[in-house]
Amino acid sequence: MTPGRTFALIIGVSANPRYPILGAPANDARALTAALTARERCALPACDVVDLINENATTTRIRAELLRISQEASERDRIFIYFAGHGERIEHDFGLIAWDTDPYGGVPPLRGSEFDELLAGTGASGLLLVIDCCYGANFAEHAPRLFRTAISGGYRVLLSSTRTDEKSWEIGEGGSTLFSKHLRLALEGAVPVGFVPGAIFLSDLARHIARNVDLDLRTVNPEYHQEQMFQGVYGKDPLLFRQARLTEHRLLLLLARYSLRDLLRFASISATSMIAIFSGLFAIHYSVLDRSRFVATAGTRIDLLIGRDGWNTYGFPKPFWQTDFFTDDVVEDSPLRADQGTVNAQVETSVLPVFRSQLSPVANLRWAYWNREFSAVRSGLKDLWSSQGSLIGAAWLLPKVMGSEDVPWLGEVAAETSDELTRANAWIAVAQVAPADTASGLLQARREPYTMPMELLSSLSPPCDDLKRSYVAGLLSKVPSEDYRSAAINAALRLGCHLSTDEMAMMLVSSFSLFGVEDVAGYIDTNHGAGEGDALLTMLPTFALADSERSDLPRKALAVVARSRRADCMPELTRQLKARDASTVAAAAAALLAHCPQDMVDRVKETAELNPELIALLAMRGGISVADVRSRLAAPDLDVFDAAYLLVALGAVGSQQDADEIVRFVGRRPDGEEGVRIAAVAALHRLRAPTRMAKPFLGGIFESSQLALDWVVDLDPAEARRLMRESMQADNGASFSRLARQLQLGPEDLAFLEQKLSEPSAESAAALLAQVQSPTKVAALLSSPVRAIRAGAARYAVANPLVSETLLTAIEAPIPGPVYQQLADDLAKRDSIRRILSETTAELRPWRAKLLYSTWRPQLSPGLKVILDLEKDKSPLAAYWAFRDELP
């Protein structure tokens, strides 16, 4: 190696917020920096080694450091650049993902071509670029010109840890990749590399890493592969690094002092002694590590590990349990506040008391609640209030644990707190145990924040009394939210509170647009023959025939008639078919077509001026020809709503030959017209178009994407299962979690999902498995040490009809978490849902399920939503109203 300096730039990015979190890169970068700067290792001056880890590794900072070392290095110097993190294929190039890379936010990946611009002017004799990321050989394949241009007496080498289609394997979460592990061991001098001790040549280093990575992978799984690649130019085999631990000069002095025979004899005796000593120490050390536990931070999460911080080796630390706590949950002076902070427990003692001592008071209350220590939670809340005068972060526990004896204290909290959420939770807690108390939310004039009325409604239990009836009736007109009005109607039905005709009429008057009319219609139908429902139904024609130019009440009343299943045909409503307001005309047509004989179709066509919405309604009754719909859809400059209604009409009267035209029509429309996309998917589904046509609509985050997925599942479960596997492979399978029952999963699918439990898509895989497997296997998912598996299973297990309260006793966890309590709450709600729906007539079950969704939405798990979604009304007219309500 020629005299001179070695400039090193070490980059490790583990946690770009827009990409999946990696365990190894930051750790590898720190370890490599230590190996380069330690006096007994490579002994590079600290000023010549710059490490950029996580938030320090921004695109701007990386470019600046590359430019600096390029300009500072002389022809006697060498440059070593190491990058570990995500890589990304780019057309004719390859990008490295910095901390702030955001392709959709204007910060692209760092391209290989930029290395030419930043390093092309360097005079350094040697340049080594090492990339440790998945599919890194794409960088080598598109290597910058810098690595393809010969230099006299020097080298330009790019070394990638993987081929273009391979992953860079990690040896454990938060540990190291196999590639970087053996690179570090070589630089540390912990293992011999090549034939000249103390000197690391390029060929020796590449051969050493390749051999050991392959050996490690074979011990894990013979089918795993990882092969490094390099691109570059050099003359003789370049000397890359020199270890300070053993130089050539010291080696020559050793050989001069002893004969070869002496050296062999000395080596034999030493080896035997060292093996005996090492074996004993290994057994003791391994036993201590295997019986030890410690707590460590992993990003912002806190995990329990097997091993002992500061002593770990032989594959330790190993994961033991991923907790449900964050670094913000520990006390201010805890070592766990810092990234990669650790706290050891004594050997052979439980780590849980040590961990709990590090938690903040609020986090300790959560621990106690998850462990069902309700009396401890109750006293802890009072202690927290007396010591801090605040329950922020813990107020949600008040309705969970407080009893009637706590009402005076809850009244004090509600009166003195400055936090609205704390005050609202205190009101809810009192309403559960003492509804008529002055501290109850049922008696408060101000209800803040507005998320609390639903919590109050869901906490009330039968029978209905004047106080509960007054609160429920008040929500119908006093709170400006249609969701709360729907929830109030559902609560009235659940509690047995009869609403008066005047109160229901007031809700109709107060409702915005057409929202809420379905609930009025449903209440009328539920109370048919009970007096109030019939009375309101009798009043509706009067409302419906009022002047639509002076009030929007007529179209609301017409919509109620249209959505009621018990209303009769009211021919007098044809008067509103000539109203000036198009929405009133559409509502009148909907009411007439819903209840009158088929000849009403002709009367509507003769009386009303046909517009796209009317055409959609007539199409539901077969009153429009497909040719007429096609011609209108071909008209230029259709706005979003007109286009959407015509697509719905085509779905009702068209045939499969119209499917291609629908797809082409959407393709000609501007991007972002979600209303058109929703209508197109609904039409294609109704036409039973081939599921290959769903591809342009899938993969988005909007309603049309979900509807397209439902279309595929309904018509071609095999294709849906294929898409599920494809999405899981890309760690994007969350949208399939709600469809486990419809996918018709077979043994191969279950085996595939079980395999995914050890991959980044573990949470989605667990969500699907929890809905279809036996209770024993569901219990195993809920007891998994992996946080993502527990979370996915807990959110959806209630949708499994085989899961019951007996499963709760089978859940074993070394540390309390929300799984048990969430499942217990979900099972109780599931029993209530089943009871309520069983008491509802078949024709009203879909509407009642929708109301239950409104009431419990703040506390509704995805598994309960699956149960309610199965009750959806699939009739053509219901499909029309659902589409109308979903228009953006």
Side-chain angles (χ1 to χ4, degrees):
M1 181 183 290
T2 58
R5 299 161 64 186
T6 297
F7 294 88
L9 176 59
I10 310 300
I11 306 168
V13 182
S14 286
N16 183 309
R18 288 156 292 277
Y19 290 82
I21 295 176
L22 300 173
N27 291 341
D28 287 334
R30 293 187 185 93
L32 208 58
T33 300
L36 290 170
T37 57
R39 293 185 59 186
E40 71 277 15
R41 294 171 182 169
C42 290
L44 296 182
C47 61
D48 289 345
V49 180
V50 174
D51 61 350
L52 303 178
I53 298 173
N54 283 339
E55 61 268 25
N56 293 322
T58 63
T59 303
T60 301
R61 182 75 187 279
I62 293 172
R63 289 172 177 159
E65 290 297 336
L66 287 171
L67 186 60
R68 180 188 64 79
I69 60 176
S70 171
Q71 296 173 347
E72 192 171 348
S74 69
E75 61 184 5
R76 301 168 58 197
D77 301 329
R78 294 153 302 284
I79 295 174
F80 170 50
I81 302 170
Y82 168 89
F83 176 88
H86 280 296
E88 185 171 283
R89 297 185 181 97
I90 302 174
E91 186 175 0
H92 305 306
D93 209 338
F94 189 76
L96 304 180
I97 305 304
W99 171 263
D100 58 343
T101 297
D102 183 3
Y104 302 104
V107 184
L110 190 65
R111 294 174 175 261
S113 55
E114 294 185 63
F115 280 72
D116 270 332
E117 301 171 9
L118 298 169
L119 297 172
T122 185
S125 62
L127 172 59
L128 173 63
L129 172 59
V130 175
I131 298 174
D132 186 6
C133 66
C134 298
Y135 323 118
N138 288 278
F139 198 106
E141 286 190 358
H142 303 291
R145 291 191 303 274
L146 186 66
F147 297 95
R148 300 195 298 269
T149 305
I151 179 172
S152 177
Y155 60 91
R156 299 285 188 269
V157 175
L158 188 158
L159 180 61
S160 165
S161 65
T162 60
R163 299 184 68 86
T164 57
D165 57 349
E166 293 178 343
K167 296 181 178 180
S168 183
W169 293 95
E170 294 186 15
I171 61 174
E173 185 177 353
S176 176
T177 65
L178 294 176
F179 176 90
S180 291
K181 165 191 168 183
H182 292 293
L183 171 62
R184 171 177 53 80
L185 291 176
L187 297 184
E188 289 177 347
V191 293
V193 178
F195 299 100
V196 182
I200 301 177
F201 290 84
L202 174 61
S203 60
D204 293 335
L205 179 64
R207 187 165 43 248
H208 164 79
I209 296 176
R211 180 176 62 252
N212 285 284
V213 168
D214 186 65
L215 288 174
D216 284 355
L217 280 177
R218 287 178 183 276
T219 63
V220 176
N221 190 327
E223 295 182 3
Y224 291 171
H225 297 286
Q226 181 177 338
E227 183 179 353
Q228 65 191 26
M229 291 188 65
F230 70 87
Q231 174 75 269
V233 292
Y234 57 88
K236 62 180 181 178
D237 195 6
L239 176 61
L240 302 177
F241 302 97
R242 174 179 293 175
Q243 299 161 348
R245 179 179 292 177
L246 184 62
T247 65
E248 295 87 6
H249 178 64
R250 291 177 182 173
L251 181 62
L252 292 174
L253 289 177
L254 180 64
L255 293 174
R257 183 173 180 183
Y258 298 100
S259 67
L260 180 60
R261 182 177 179 181
D262 290 336
L263 290 173
L264 291 174
R265 183 166 57 86
F266 175 75
S268 177
I269 295 172
S270 300
T272 302
S273 302
M274 291 299 295
I275 290 173
I277 294 171
F278 178 77
S279 297
L281 292 175
F282 170 80
I284 296 172
H285 195 183
Y286 190 94
S287 177
V288 169
L289 292 177
D290 195 46
R291 298 184 179 192
S292 299
R293 304 287 185 269
F294 70 100
V295 192
T297 54
T300 59
R301 296 271 189 174
I302 298 177
D303 292 343
L304 272 58
L305 303 173
I306 303 173
R308 191 166 184 81
D309 184 48
W311 291 27
N312 287 314
T313 185
Y314 324 127
F316 291 95
K318 300 175 182 178
F320 176 62
W321 190 263
Q322 296 179 331
T323 78
D324 295 281
F325 292 96
F326 295 82
T327 50
D328 289 342
D329 292 322
V330 298
V331 293
E332 291 289 343
D333 59 350
S334 172
L336 298 175
R337 277 274 178 175
D339 185 27
Q340 298 187 353
T342 58
V343 175
N344 280 321
Q346 292 185 1
V347 178
E348 297 191 23
T349 61
S350 173
V351 72
L352 299 188
V354 177
F355 178 32
R356 195 162 186 179
S357 69
Q358 301 290 312
L359 293 177
S360 67
V362 171
N364 256 299
L365 289 176
R366 281 163 45 206
W367 179 305
Y369 176 70
W370 292 339
N371 207 31
R372 304 183 67 76
E373 301 168 1
F374 299 140
S375 60
V377 178
R378 186 180 296 113
S379 61
L381 286 168
K382 293 181 178 179
D383 291 342
L384 189 65
W385 176 258
S386 62
S387 62
Q388 299 184 10
S390 172
L391 294 178
I392 292 177
W396 63 276
L397 290 167
L398 292 174
K400 307 287 186 183
V401 299
M402 290 297 163
S404 57
E405 67 274 17
D406 302 304
V407 168
W409 177 74
L410 289 168
E412 172 191 329
V413 171
E416 297 182 8
T417 184
S418 59
D419 177 55
E420 291 184 351
L421 196 59
T422 299
R423 180 164 54 252
N425 275 289
W427 287 345
I428 294 169
V430 176
Q432 287 180 334
V433 295
D437 192 276
T438 55
S440 168
L442 298 176
L443 297 177
Q444 303 302 319
R446 297 175 69 239
R447 301 182 178 100
E448 303 165 324
Y450 276 134
T451 56
M452 290 300 105
M454 283 192 185
E455 303 280 357
L456 274 169
L457 290 173
S458 63
S459 70
L460 298 178
S461 57
C464 183
D465 55 29
D466 290 341
L467 179 62
K468 296 174 185 176
R469 206 203 72 80
S470 173
Y471 179 78
V472 169
L475 286 177
L476 297 180
S477 59
K478 295 179 181 177
V479 177
S481 168
E482 299 301 333
D483 285 339
Y484 297 150
R485 290 171 178 159
S486 294
I489 288 182
N490 186 53
L493 293 172
R494 181 170 56 84
L495 298 172
C497 297
H498 288 287
L499 302 175
S500 70
T501 303
D502 290 341
E503 288 164 339
M504 294 301 295
M506 182 56 66
M507 178 183 175
L508 197 59
V509 171
S510 303
S511 292
F512 299 108
S513 184
L514 293 183
F515 294 108
V517 296
E518 180 186 12
D519 301 322
V520 176
Y523 188 82
I524 290 173
D525 293 345
T526 304
N527 288 273
H528 184 68
E532 291 88 353
D534 290 348
L536 185 59
L537 195 59
T538 303
M539 295 170 60
L540 285 176
T542 302
F543 294 158
L545 295 173
D547 186 353
S548 61
E549 294 186 19
R550 301 180 62 182
S551 167
D552 61 356
L553 183 59
R555 61 191 177 95
K556 294 177 189 175
L558 289 165
V560 171
V561 174
R563 305 198 78 161
S564 170
R565 297 175 181 270
R566 305 293 177 98
D568 295 324
C569 177
M570 302 178 185
E572 65 270 26
L573 300 183
T574 55
R575 288 165 48 190
Q576 289 289 27
L577 292 175
K578 294 184 178 182
R580 293 184 181 182
D581 177 56
S583 295
T584 301
V585 173
L592 291 165
L593 295 173
H595 304 294
C596 295
Q598 184 66 25
D599 59 6
M600 183 57 69
V601 171
D602 294 331
R603 290 189 63 184
V604 171
K605 291 171 65 175
E606 293 169 359
T607 306
E609 180 180 350
L610 295 188
N611 58 41
E613 186 172 3
L614 272 180
I615 289 172
L617 281 166
L618 290 167
M620 299 296 171
R621 293 283 296 267
I624 292 291
S625 69
V626 64
D628 191 12
V629 177
R630 289 171 183 164
S631 64
R632 290 174 181 267
L633 198 58
D637 302 326
L638 288 172
D639 66 22
V640 172
F641 294 99
D642 288 348
Y645 283 122
L646 289 172
L647 287 173
V648 169
L650 188 58
V653 299
S655 61
Q656 285 200 10
Q657 68 180 13
D658 294 298
D660 288 325
E661 178 53 37
I662 291 174
V663 174
R664 286 192 293 269
F665 179 84
V666 175
R668 294 192 297 267
R669 302 290 298 190
D671 292 339
E673 291 186 335
E674 178 64 2
V676 172
R677 292 171 64 86
I678 289 173
V681 171
L684 290 167
H685 190 175
R686 182 145 188 219
L687 293 173
R688 303 188 70 80
T691 54
R692 58 179 170 76
M693 293 184 172
K695 187 174 181 180
F697 304 97
L698 293 170
I701 62 174
F702 299 108
E703 182 69 21
S704 58
S705 177
Q706 293 294 321
L707 294 174
L709 189 55
D710 291 338
W711 162 25
V712 177
V713 172
D714 182 28
L715 299 188
D716 193 349
E719 172 64 10
R721 291 193 295 273
R722 188 195 69 77
L723 289 174
M724 180 271 292
R725 290 181 175 232
E726 186 178 279
S727 297
M728 286 287 181
Q729 295 285 18
D731 189 19
N732 189 29
S735 58
F736 288 85
S737 298
R738 64 186 177 87
L739 300 170
R741 306 287 292 279
Q742 295 102 299
L743 286 171
Q744 304 173 24
L745 299 172
E748 292 184 358
D749 302 307
L750 298 178
F752 169 80
L753 291 171
E754 288 174 353
Q755 176 188 350
K756 289 297 171 185
L757 292 176
S758 60
E759 299 184 15
S761 54
E763 185 169 348
S764 299
L768 285 163
L769 289 169
Q771 298 176 67
V772 296
Q773 288 194 313
S774 67
T776 302
K777 291 188 175 181
V778 175
L781 294 172
L782 295 170
S783 304
S784 170
V786 181
R787 183 189 315 107
I789 295 176
R790 294 197 307 273
R795 295 171 69 203
Y796 283 91
V798 71
N800 188 333
L802 301 178
V803 170
S804 64
E805 290 187 3
T806 57
L807 177 66
L808 299 178
T809 60
I811 300 175
E812 298 178 0
I815 180 172
V819 169
Y820 184 101
Q821 195 60 46
Q822 177 175 328
L823 186 54
D825 292 344
D826 282 353
L827 290 172
K829 286 189 177 67
R830 186 179 72 178
D831 290 343
S832 296
I833 289 171
R834 287 175 173 174
R835 177 182 55 78
I836 291 170
L837 293 180
S838 69
E839 297 169 354
T840 306
T841 61
E843 60 183 356
L844 292 176
R845 279 174 67 107
W847 168 72
R848 193 66 191 277
K850 184 178 178 181
L851 279 189
L852 288 170
Y853 185 97
S854 297
T855 302
W856 277 326
R857 190 177 59 202
Q859 348 170 14
L860 209 62
S861 71
L864 290 171
K865 293 177 183 176
V866 168
I867 294 173
L868 293 173
D869 281 344
L870 293 175
E871 299 289 341
K872 281 184 176 178
D873 191 344
K874 297 181 173 60
S875 66
L877 195 59
Y880 163 77
W881 285 111
F883 161 74
R884 196 186 197 292
D885 292 343
E886 286 166 359
L887 279 178

